[in-house]
Amino acid sequence: LTLLARFLGHGEEGHLCATFVKKTLPQQIAKFVRQKRVQNYSTLVGTKKLWNPKMWPLLGKEDFEQCCKRAFLETNKMLHDEKAIND
């Protein structure tokens, strides 16, 4: 998977916003994808005794898009909550 993005910062601290998003968004996407794959795996197997990340099902397009949207919203909230950056 390749993530292509253009992070533009505007204003005096725009570069700080762009750097924050460049670092945080991929982490958030990975977090939500991992959570969804765990959820799907748990539904399939019904037990955590068979816990094996290599067996986690891949996500379909709709699930992946939802993870990306959630990651974007969470990153945006985190940016607004970041006291060191005036966004």
Side-chain angles (χ1 to χ4, degrees):
L1 173 68
T2 301
L3 173 65
L4 299 175
R6 185 173 182 187
F7 302 110
L8 297 174
H10 300 282
E12 289 182 24
E13 295 192 9
H15 65 287
L16 298 175
C17 293
T19 300
F20 180 89
V21 174
K22 180 174 79 170
K23 175 186 169 202
T24 308
L25 183 59
Q27 294 171 348
Q28 293 301 309
I29 291 172
K31 177 180 87 172
F32 287 114
V33 166
R34 186 171 42 254
Q35 287 176 355
K36 186 63 178 172
R37 289 182 73 197
V38 167
Q39 179 186 20
N40 290 352
Y41 178 75
S42 297
T43 302
L44 281 176
V45 209
T47 179
K48 295 196 182 220
K49 291 181 181 177
L50 300 173
W51 192 254
N52 181 355
K54 292 180 181 180
M55 299 293 293
W56 295 352
L58 296 177
L59 298 183
K61 180 183 176 208
E62 290 176 7
D63 282 340
F64 187 74
E65 285 177 357
Q66 187 60 34
C67 290
C68 289
K69 288 176 185 176
R70 289 180 64 197
F72 175 82
L73 294 173
E74 182 65 20
T75 300
N76 191 49
K77 179 186 179 311
M78 291 169 70
L79 178 60
H80 289 305
D81 292 345
E82 178 61 50
K83 302 287 188 234
I85 300 174
N86 181 12
D87 65 330

Coordinates of all heavy atoms in Angstrom, one line a residue:
L1 N 0.8 -1.2 0.0 CA 0.0 0.0 0.0 C 0.9 1.2 0.0 O 1.9 1.3 0.7 CB -0.9 0.0 1.2 CG -1.7 1.2 1.5 CD1 -2.8 1.4 0.4 CD2 -2.4 1.2 2.8
T2 N 0.5 2.2 -0.8 CA 1.3 3.4 -0.9 C 0.3 4.6 -0.5 O -0.8 4.6 -1.0 CB 1.8 3.7 -2.3 OG1 2.7 2.6 -2.6 CG2 2.6 5.0 -2.3
L3 N 0.7 5.4 0.4 CA -0.1 6.6 0.8 C 0.6 7.8 0.2 O 1.7 8.1 0.5 CB -0.2 6.7 2.3 CG -0.8 8.0 2.8 CD1 -2.3 8.0 2.4 CD2 -0.7 8.0 4.3
L4 N -0.1 8.5 -0.7 CA 0.4 9.7 -1.3 C -0.5 10.8 -0.7 O -1.7 10.8 -0.8 CB 0.3 9.7 -2.8 CG 1.0 8.6 -3.5 CD1 0.7 8.6 -5.0 CD2 2.5 8.7 -3.3
A5 N 0.2 11.8 -0.3 CA -0.5 13.0 0.3 C 0.3 14.2 0.1 O 1.5 14.2 0.0 CB -0.8 12.7 1.8
R6 N -0.4 15.3 0.1 CA 0.3 16.6 0.0 C -0.1 17.4 1.3 O -1.3 17.7 1.4 CB -0.1 17.3 -1.2 CG 0.6 18.6 -1.5 CD 0.2 19.2 -2.8 NE 1.0 20.4 -3.0 CZ 0.8 21.2 -4.1 NH1 -0.2 20.9 -5.0 NH2 1.5 22.3 -4.2
F7 N 0.8 17.7 2.1 CA 0.5 18.4 3.4 C 1.0 19.8 3.2 O 2.1 20.1 3.2 CB 1.2 17.7 4.5 CG 0.8 16.3 4.7 CD1 1.8 15.3 4.4 CD2 -0.4 15.9 5.1 CE1 1.4 14.0 4.6 CE2 -0.8 14.6 5.3 CZ 0.1 13.6 5.0
L8 N 0.0 20.7 3.1 CA 0.3 22.1 2.9 C -0.1 22.9 4.2 O -1.1 22.7 4.8 CB -0.6 22.7 1.8 CG -0.3 22.2 0.4 CD1 -1.3 22.8 -0.6 CD2 1.1 22.5 0.0
G9 N 0.8 23.7 4.7 CA 0.6 24.5 5.8 C 0.4 25.9 5.4 O 1.0 26.4 4.6
H10 N -0.6 26.6 6.1 CA -0.9 28.0 5.8 C -0.6 28.8 7.0 O -0.8 28.3 8.1 CB -2.3 28.1 5.3 CG -2.6 27.4 4.0 ND1 -2.2 27.8 2.8 CD2 -3.2 26.2 3.8 CE1 -2.5 26.9 1.9 NE2 -3.2 25.9 2.5
G11 N -0.2 30.0 6.9 CA 0.0 30.9 8.0 C 1.4 30.7 8.6 O 2.2 30.0 8.1
E12 N 1.6 31.4 9.7 CA 2.9 31.4 10.3 C 3.3 30.0 10.8 O 4.5 29.7 10.8 CB 2.9 32.4 11.5 CG 2.9 33.8 11.1 CD 2.9 34.8 12.2 OE1 3.4 34.4 13.3 OE2 2.4 35.9 12.1
E13 N 2.4 29.2 11.3 CA 2.7 27.9 11.8 C 2.2 26.8 10.9 O 2.1 25.6 11.4 CB 2.1 27.8 13.2 CG 2.8 28.7 14.2 CD 2.5 28.4 15.7 OE1 1.9 27.4 16.0 OE2 2.8 29.3 16.5
G14 N 2.0 27.1 9.7 CA 1.5 26.1 8.8 C 2.4 24.9 8.6 O 2.0 23.8 8.5
H15 N 3.7 25.2 8.6 CA 4.7 24.1 8.5 C 4.6 23.2 9.7 O 4.9 22.0 9.5 CB 6.1 24.7 8.3 CG 6.6 25.4 9.5 ND1 6.2 26.7 9.9 CD2 7.5 25.1 10.4 CE1 6.8 27.1 11.0 NE2 7.6 26.1 11.4
L16 N 4.3 23.7 10.8 CA 4.2 22.8 12.0 C 2.9 21.9 11.9 O 3.0 20.7 12.2 CB 4.0 23.6 13.3 CG 5.3 24.5 13.6 CD1 5.0 25.4 14.9 CD2 6.5 23.6 13.8
C17 N 1.9 22.5 11.3 CA 0.6 21.7 11.1 C 0.9 20.6 10.1 O 0.6 19.4 10.3 CB -0.5 22.5 10.6 SG -1.1 23.7 11.8
A18 N 1.6 20.9 9.0 CA 1.9 20.0 7.9 C 2.8 18.8 8.5 O 2.5 17.7 8.2 CB 2.6 20.7 6.8
T19 N 3.8 19.2 9.3 CA 4.7 18.2 9.8 C 3.9 17.3 10.8 O 4.1 16.1 10.8 CB 5.9 18.9 10.5 OG1 6.6 19.7 9.6 CG2 6.8 17.9 11.2
F20 N 3.1 17.9 11.6 CA 2.3 17.1 12.6 C 1.4 16.0 11.8 O 1.4 14.9 12.2 CB 1.4 18.0 13.4 CG 0.5 17.3 14.4 CD1 1.0 17.0 15.7 CD2 -0.8 16.8 14.1 CE1 0.2 16.4 16.6 CE2 -1.6 16.2 15.0 CZ -1.1 15.9 16.2
V21 N 0.7 16.5 10.8 CA -0.2 15.6 10.0 C 0.7 14.5 9.3 O 0.3 13.4 9.2 CB -1.1 16.4 9.1 CG1 -1.9 15.4 8.2 CG2 -2.0 17.3 9.8
K22 N 1.8 14.9 8.7 CA 2.6 14.0 8.0 C 3.1 12.8 8.9 O 3.1 11.7 8.5 CB 3.9 14.7 7.4 CG 4.8 13.8 6.6 CD 5.9 14.6 6.0 CE 7.0 15.0 7.0 NZ 8.2 15.5 6.4
K23 N 3.3 13.2 10.2 CA 3.8 12.1 11.1 C 2.6 11.3 11.7 O 2.7 10.1 11.8 CB 4.5 12.8 12.3 CG 4.9 11.9 13.4 CD 5.5 12.7 14.5 CE 5.6 11.7 15.7 NZ 5.7 12.5 17.0
T24 N 1.5 12.0 12.0 CA 0.4 11.4 12.7 C -0.6 10.6 11.9 O -1.0 9.6 12.3 CB -0.3 12.5 13.5 OG1 0.6 13.3 14.3 CG2 -1.4 11.9 14.4
L25 N -0.9 11.1 10.7 CA -2.0 10.5 9.9 C -1.6 9.0 9.5 O -2.5 8.1 9.8 CB -2.3 11.3 8.6 CG -3.4 10.7 7.7 CD1 -4.7 10.7 8.5 CD2 -3.5 11.6 6.5
P26 N -0.4 8.7 9.1 CA -0.2 7.3 8.8 C -0.3 6.4 10.0 O -0.7 5.3 9.9 CB 1.3 7.3 8.2 CG 1.5 8.7 7.7 CD 0.7 9.6 8.6
Q27 N 0.1 6.9 11.2 CA 0.0 6.2 12.4 C -1.4 5.9 12.8 O -1.8 4.8 13.2 CB 0.7 6.9 13.6 CG 2.2 7.1 13.4 CD 2.7 8.0 14.5 OE1 2.0 8.7 15.2 NE2 4.1 8.0 14.6
Q28 N -2.3 6.9 12.6 CA -3.7 6.7 12.8 C -4.4 5.7 11.9 O -5.2 4.9 12.3 CB -4.4 8.1 12.8 CG -4.0 9.0 14.0 CD -4.3 8.4 15.3 OE1 -5.4 7.9 15.6 NE2 -3.2 8.3 16.2
I29 N -4.0 5.8 10.6 CA -4.5 4.9 9.6 C -4.2 3.5 10.0 O -5.0 2.6 10.1 CB -4.0 5.2 8.2 CG1 -4.6 6.5 7.7 CG2 -4.4 4.0 7.2 CD1 -4.1 7.0 6.4
A30 N -2.9 3.2 10.4 CA -2.4 1.9 10.8 C -3.2 1.4 12.0 O -3.6 0.3 12.1 CB -0.9 1.9 11.1
K31 N -3.5 2.3 13.0 CA -4.2 2.0 14.2 C -5.6 1.5 13.9 O -6.0 0.4 14.3 CB -4.2 3.2 15.2 CG -5.0 2.9 16.4 CD -5.1 4.1 17.3 CE -6.2 5.0 17.0 NZ -6.4 6.1 17.9
F32 N -6.3 2.3 13.1 CA -7.7 1.9 12.8 C -7.8 0.7 11.9 O -8.7 -0.1 12.0 CB -8.5 3.1 12.2 CG -8.8 4.2 13.2 CD1 -8.2 5.4 13.1 CD2 -9.6 3.9 14.2 CE1 -8.5 6.4 14.0 CE2 -9.9 4.9 15.2 CZ -9.3 6.1 15.1
V33 N -6.9 0.5 11.0 CA -6.8 -0.7 10.1 C -6.6 -1.9 11.0 O -7.3 -3.0 10.9 CB -5.8 -0.6 9.0 CG1 -5.5 -2.0 8.4 CG2 -6.2 0.4 7.9
R34 N -5.6 -1.8 11.9 CA -5.3 -2.9 12.8 C -6.5 -3.3 13.7 O -6.9 -4.4 13.9 CB -4.1 -2.5 13.7 CG -3.6 -3.6 14.6 CD -2.3 -3.3 15.3 NE -2.2 -1.9 15.8 CZ -1.5 -0.9 15.2 NH1 -0.8 -1.1 14.2 NH2 -1.5 0.3 15.8
Q35 N -7.2 -2.2 14.2 CA -8.4 -2.5 15.1 C -9.5 -3.2 14.3 O -10.1 -4.1 14.8 CB -8.9 -1.1 15.6 CG -8.1 -0.5 16.7 CD -8.6 0.8 17.1 OE1 -9.6 1.4 16.6 NE2 -8.0 1.4 18.1
K36 N -9.7 -2.8 13.0 CA -10.8 -3.4 12.2 C -10.4 -4.8 11.9 O -11.3 -5.7 11.9 CB -11.0 -2.5 10.9 CG -12.2 -3.0 10.1 CD -13.5 -2.9 10.9 CE -14.6 -3.3 10.0 NZ -15.9 -3.4 10.8
R37 N -9.1 -5.1 11.5 CA -8.7 -6.4 11.2 C -8.9 -7.3 12.4 O -9.3 -8.5 12.3 CB -7.3 -6.4 10.7 CG -7.2 -5.8 9.3 CD -5.8 -5.9 8.8 NE -5.5 -7.3 8.4 CZ -4.2 -7.7 8.2 NH1 -3.2 -6.9 8.4 NH2 -4.0 -9.0 7.9
V38 N -8.5 -6.8 13.6 CA -8.7 -7.6 14.9 C -10.2 -7.9 15.1 O -10.6 -9.0 15.4 CB -8.1 -6.9 16.1 CG1 -8.6 -7.5 17.4 CG2 -6.6 -6.8 16.0
Q39 N -11.0 -6.9 14.9 CA -12.5 -7.1 15.0 C -13.0 -8.1 14.0 O -13.7 -9.0 14.4 CB -13.2 -5.7 14.8 CG -14.7 -5.8 14.9 CD -15.4 -4.5 14.5 OE1 -14.8 -3.7 13.8 NE2 -16.6 -4.3 15.0
N40 N -12.6 -8.1 12.8 CA -13.0 -9.0 11.8 C -12.5 -10.4 12.1 O -13.2 -11.4 12.0 CB -12.6 -8.6 10.4 CG -13.3 -7.4 9.9 OD1 -14.3 -6.9 10.5 ND2 -12.8 -6.9 8.8
Y41 N -11.3 -10.5 12.6 CA -10.7 -11.8 13.0 C -11.4 -12.4 14.2 O -11.8 -13.6 14.1 CB -9.2 -11.6 13.3 CG -8.5 -12.9 13.7 CD1 -8.2 -13.9 12.8 CD2 -8.2 -13.1 15.1 CE1 -7.6 -15.1 13.2 CE2 -7.6 -14.3 15.4 CZ -7.2 -15.3 14.5 OH -6.6 -16.4 14.9
S42 N -11.7 -11.6 15.2 CA -12.4 -12.1 16.3 C -13.8 -12.6 16.0 O -14.3 -13.6 16.5 CB -12.5 -11.0 17.4 OG -11.3 -10.6 17.8
T43 N -14.4 -11.9 15.0 CA -15.8 -12.4 14.6 C -15.7 -13.7 13.9 O -16.5 -14.6 14.1 CB -16.4 -11.3 13.6 OG1 -16.5 -10.1 14.3 CG2 -17.8 -11.7 13.2
L44 N -14.7 -13.9 13.1 CA -14.5 -15.1 12.3 C -14.2 -16.3 13.3 O -14.7 -17.4 13.1 CB -13.3 -15.0 11.3 CG -13.6 -14.3 10.0 CD1 -12.3 -14.2 9.2 CD2 -14.7 -15.0 9.2
V45 N -13.3 -16.1 14.2 CA -12.8 -17.2 15.0 C -13.6 -17.4 16.3 O -13.8 -18.5 16.8 CB -11.3 -17.0 15.4 CG1 -10.6 -18.4 15.6 CG2 -10.5 -16.2 14.4
G46 N -14.0 -16.3 16.9 CA -14.8 -16.3 18.1 C -14.0 -16.6 19.3 O -14.6 -16.8 20.4
T47 N -12.7 -16.6 19.2 CA -11.9 -16.9 20.4 C -10.6 -16.2 20.3 O -10.1 -16.1 19.2 CB -11.7 -18.4 20.7 OG1 -10.9 -18.5 21.9 CG2 -11.1 -19.1 19.5
K48 N -10.0 -15.8 21.4 CA -8.7 -15.2 21.3 C -7.6 -16.2 21.5 O -6.4 -15.9 21.5 CB -8.6 -14.1 22.4 CG -9.5 -13.0 22.1 CD -9.2 -11.7 22.8 CE -10.2 -10.7 22.5 NZ -9.7 -9.4 22.3
K49 N -7.9 -17.5 21.8 CA -6.9 -18.5 21.9 C -6.2 -18.8 20.6 O -5.1 -19.3 20.6 CB -7.6 -19.8 22.4 CG -8.1 -19.8 23.8 CD -8.7 -21.1 24.2 CE -9.3 -21.0 25.6 NZ -9.9 -22.2 26.0
L50 N -6.8 -18.5 19.5 CA -6.2 -18.7 18.2 C -5.6 -17.4 17.6 O -5.5 -17.2 16.4 CB -7.3 -19.2 17.2 CG -7.9 -20.5 17.6 CD1 -9.0 -20.9 16.6 CD2 -6.9 -21.7 17.6
W51 N -5.1 -16.6 18.5 CA -4.6 -15.3 18.2 C -3.4 -15.4 17.3 O -2.4 -15.9 17.7 CB -4.3 -14.5 19.4 CG -4.0 -13.0 19.1 CD1 -2.8 -12.4 19.1 CD2 -5.0 -12.0 18.8 NE1 -3.0 -11.1 18.9 CE2 -4.3 -10.8 18.7 CE3 -6.4 -12.0 18.7 CZ2 -4.9 -9.6 18.4 CZ3 -7.0 -10.8 18.4 CH2 -6.3 -9.7 18.2
N52 N -3.5 -14.9 16.0 CA -2.4 -15.0 15.1 C -2.6 -13.9 14.1 O -3.4 -14.0 13.1 CB -2.4 -16.4 14.4 CG -1.2 -16.5 13.4 OD1 -0.5 -15.5 13.2 ND2 -1.1 -17.6 12.8
P53 N -1.8 -12.8 14.2 CA -2.0 -11.6 13.3 C -1.8 -12.0 11.9 O -2.4 -11.3 11.0 CB -0.9 -10.7 13.8 CG -0.7 -11.0 15.2 CD -0.9 -12.5 15.3
K54 N -1.0 -13.0 11.5 CA -0.9 -13.4 10.1 C -2.2 -13.9 9.6 O -2.4 -14.0 8.3 CB 0.2 -14.5 10.0 CG 1.6 -13.9 10.3 CD 2.6 -15.0 10.1 CE 4.0 -14.4 10.5 NZ 5.1 -15.4 10.3
M55 N -3.1 -14.3 10.4 CA -4.4 -14.8 10.0 C -5.5 -13.8 9.9 O -6.6 -14.0 9.4 CB -4.9 -15.9 10.9 CG -3.9 -17.1 11.0 SD -3.8 -18.0 9.4 CE -5.5 -18.7 9.4
W56 N -5.2 -12.5 10.3 CA -6.2 -11.5 10.3 C -6.6 -11.3 8.8 O -5.8 -11.1 7.9 CB -5.6 -10.2 10.8 CG -5.3 -10.2 12.3 CD1 -5.6 -11.2 13.2 CD2 -4.6 -9.2 13.0 NE1 -5.1 -10.8 14.4 CE2 -4.5 -9.6 14.3 CE3 -4.1 -8.0 12.6 CZ2 -3.8 -8.8 15.3 CZ3 -3.4 -7.2 13.6 CH2 -3.3 -7.6 14.9
P57 N -7.9 -11.2 8.6 CA -8.4 -11.0 7.2 C -8.0 -9.6 6.7 O -8.0 -8.6 7.5 CB -9.9 -11.2 7.3 CG -10.2 -11.0 8.8 CD -9.0 -11.3 9.5
L58 N -7.7 -9.5 5.4 CA -7.5 -8.2 4.8 C -8.8 -7.4 4.8 O -9.9 -8.0 4.7 CB -6.9 -8.3 3.5 CG -5.5 -9.0 3.4 CD1 -5.0 -9.1 2.0 CD2 -4.5 -8.2 4.2
L59 N -8.7 -6.1 4.7 CA -9.9 -5.3 4.7 C -10.4 -5.1 3.2 O -9.6 -5.0 2.3 CB -9.7 -3.9 5.3 CG -9.3 -3.9 6.8 CD1 -9.2 -2.5 7.2 CD2 -10.3 -4.6 7.6
G60 N -11.7 -5.0 3.1 CA -12.3 -4.6 1.8 C -12.2 -3.1 1.6 O -11.8 -2.4 2.5
K61 N -12.6 -2.7 0.4 CA -12.5 -1.2 0.1 C -13.3 -0.4 1.1 O -12.8 0.6 1.5 CB -13.0 -1.0 -1.3 CG -12.9 0.4 -1.8 CD -13.5 0.6 -3.2 CE -13.5 2.1 -3.5 NZ -14.5 2.4 -4.5
E62 N -14.5 -0.8 1.4 CA -15.3 0.1 2.2 C -14.8 0.1 3.7 O -14.8 1.2 4.3 CB -16.8 -0.5 2.3 CG -17.5 -0.3 0.9 CD -18.9 -0.9 0.9 OE1 -19.3 -1.4 2.0 OE2 -19.5 -0.9 -0.1
D63 N -14.3 -1.0 4.2 CA -13.7 -1.0 5.5 C -12.5 -0.1 5.6 O -12.2 0.7 6.5 CB -13.3 -2.4 6.0 CG -14.5 -3.2 6.5 OD1 -15.6 -2.5 6.8 OD2 -14.4 -4.4 6.5
F64 N -11.6 -0.2 4.5 CA -10.4 0.6 4.5 C -10.7 2.1 4.4 O -10.1 2.9 5.0 CB -9.5 0.1 3.3 CG -8.2 0.8 3.3 CD1 -7.2 0.4 4.3 CD2 -7.9 1.8 2.4 CE1 -6.0 1.1 4.3 CE2 -6.7 2.5 2.5 CZ -5.7 2.1 3.4
E65 N -11.7 2.4 3.5 CA -12.1 3.8 3.4 C -12.6 4.4 4.7 O -12.3 5.5 5.1 CB -13.1 4.0 2.3 CG -12.6 3.9 0.9 CD -13.7 4.0 -0.1 OE1 -14.9 4.1 0.2 OE2 -13.3 4.0 -1.3
Q66 N -13.4 3.6 5.5 CA -13.9 4.0 6.8 C -12.7 4.2 7.7 O -12.7 5.2 8.5 CB -14.9 3.0 7.3 CG -15.5 3.4 8.6 CD -16.4 4.7 8.4 OE1 -16.9 4.9 7.4 NE2 -16.4 5.5 9.4
C67 N -11.7 3.3 7.7 CA -10.5 3.5 8.6 C -9.8 4.8 8.3 O -9.4 5.5 9.2 CB -9.6 2.3 8.4 SG -10.2 0.8 9.1
C68 N -9.7 5.1 7.0 CA -9.0 6.3 6.6 C -9.8 7.5 7.0 O -9.2 8.5 7.5 CB -8.8 6.3 5.1 SG -7.6 5.2 4.5
K69 N -11.1 7.5 6.9 CA -11.9 8.6 7.4 C -11.8 8.8 8.9 O -11.6 10.0 9.3 CB -13.4 8.4 7.0 CG -13.6 8.6 5.5 CD -15.1 8.3 5.2 CE -15.3 8.3 3.7 NZ -16.6 7.9 3.3
R70 N -11.8 7.7 9.6 CA -11.7 7.8 11.1 C -10.3 8.4 11.4 O -10.2 9.2 12.3 CB -11.9 6.5 11.7 CG -13.3 6.0 11.7 CD -13.5 4.6 12.3 NE -13.2 4.7 13.7 CZ -12.9 3.6 14.5 NH1 -12.9 2.4 14.0 NH2 -12.7 3.8 15.8
A71 N -9.3 7.9 10.7 CA -7.9 8.4 11.0 C -7.8 9.9 10.7 O -7.2 10.6 11.4 CB -6.9 7.6 10.1
F72 N -8.4 10.3 9.6 CA -8.3 11.8 9.3 C -9.0 12.6 10.4 O -8.5 13.6 10.8 CB -9.0 12.0 7.9 CG -9.1 13.5 7.6 CD1 -8.0 14.1 7.0 CD2 -10.2 14.2 7.8 CE1 -8.1 15.5 6.7 CE2 -10.3 15.6 7.6 CZ -9.2 16.2 7.0
L73 N -10.2 12.2 10.8 CA -10.9 12.9 11.8 C -10.2 12.9 13.1 O -10.1 13.9 13.8 CB -12.3 12.3 12.0 CG -13.3 12.5 10.8 CD1 -14.6 11.7 11.1 CD2 -13.6 14.0 10.6
E74 N -9.6 11.8 13.5 CA -8.8 11.7 14.7 C -7.6 12.6 14.7 O -7.2 13.3 15.6 CB -8.4 10.2 15.0 CG -7.7 10.0 16.3 CD -8.4 10.4 17.6 OE1 -9.7 10.4 17.5 OE2 -7.8 10.6 18.6
T75 N -6.9 12.6 13.5 CA -5.7 13.4 13.4 C -6.1 14.9 13.4 O -5.3 15.7 14.1 CB -5.0 13.1 12.0 OG1 -4.6 11.7 12.0 CG2 -3.8 14.0 11.8
N76 N -7.2 15.2 12.8 CA -7.6 16.6 12.9 C -7.9 17.0 14.3 O -7.5 18.1 14.8 CB -8.9 16.8 12.0 CG -9.2 18.2 11.8 OD1 -8.4 19.0 11.5 ND2 -10.5 18.6 12.0
K77 N -8.6 16.2 15.1 CA -8.9 16.5 16.5 C -7.6 16.6 17.3 O -7.4 17.5 18.1 CB -9.7 15.3 17.1 CG -10.1 15.6 18.6 CD -10.8 14.4 19.1 CE -11.1 14.5 20.6 NZ -10.0 15.0 21.4
M78 N -6.6 15.7 17.0 CA -5.3 15.7 17.8 C -4.6 17.0 17.4 O -4.0 17.6 18.3 CB -4.5 14.5 17.4 CG -5.0 13.2 17.9 SD -4.2 11.7 17.2 CE -2.6 11.9 18.0
L79 N -4.7 17.5 16.2 CA -4.0 18.7 15.8 C -4.6 19.9 16.5 O -3.9 20.7 17.1 CB -4.1 18.9 14.3 CG -3.5 20.2 13.7 CD1 -2.0 20.3 14.1 CD2 -3.7 20.3 12.2
H80 N -5.9 19.9 16.6 CA -6.6 21.0 17.3 C -6.3 21.0 18.8 O -6.2 22.0 19.4 CB -8.1 20.9 17.1 CG -8.5 21.3 15.7 ND1 -8.2 22.5 15.1 CD2 -9.3 20.6 14.8 CE1 -8.7 22.5 13.9 NE2 -9.4 21.4 13.7
D81 N -6.1 19.8 19.3 CA -5.9 19.7 20.8 C -4.4 19.9 21.1 O -4.1 20.1 22.3 CB -6.2 18.3 21.3 CG -7.7 18.0 21.3 OD1 -8.5 19.0 21.1 OD2 -8.2 16.9 21.4
E82 N -3.5 19.9 20.1 CA -2.1 20.1 20.4 C -1.8 21.6 20.8 O -2.0 22.5 20.0 CB -1.3 19.8 19.1 CG 0.2 20.0 19.2 CD 0.8 19.1 20.3 OE1 0.6 17.9 20.4 OE2 1.5 19.7 21.1
K83 N -1.4 21.8 22.0 CA -1.2 23.1 22.5 C 0.0 23.8 21.9 O 0.0 25.1 21.8 CB -1.0 23.1 24.0 CG -2.2 22.4 24.8 CD -3.4 23.3 24.8 CE -4.4 22.7 25.7 NZ -5.7 22.5 25.1
A84 N 1.0 23.1 21.5 CA 2.2 23.7 20.9 C 2.0 24.2 19.5 O 2.9 25.0 19.0 CB 3.3 22.7 20.9
I85 N 0.9 23.9 18.9 CA 0.6 24.4 17.5 C -0.6 25.2 17.5 O -1.7 24.7 17.9 CB 0.5 23.2 16.5 CG1 1.8 22.3 16.6 CG2 0.2 23.6 15.1 CD1 1.7 21.0 15.8
N86 N -0.5 26.4 16.9 CA -1.7 27.2 16.7 C -2.2 27.0 15.3 O -1.8 27.6 14.4 CB -1.3 28.7 17.0 CG -2.5 29.6 16.8 OD1 -3.7 29.2 16.8 ND2 -2.3 30.9 16.8
D87 N -3.2 26.1 15.2 CA -3.7 25.8 13.9 C -4.9 26.7 13.5 O -5.4 26.7 12.5 CB -4.1 24.3 13.8 CG -5.3 24.0 14.7 OD1 -5.5 24.6 15.7 OD2 -6.1 23.1 14.3

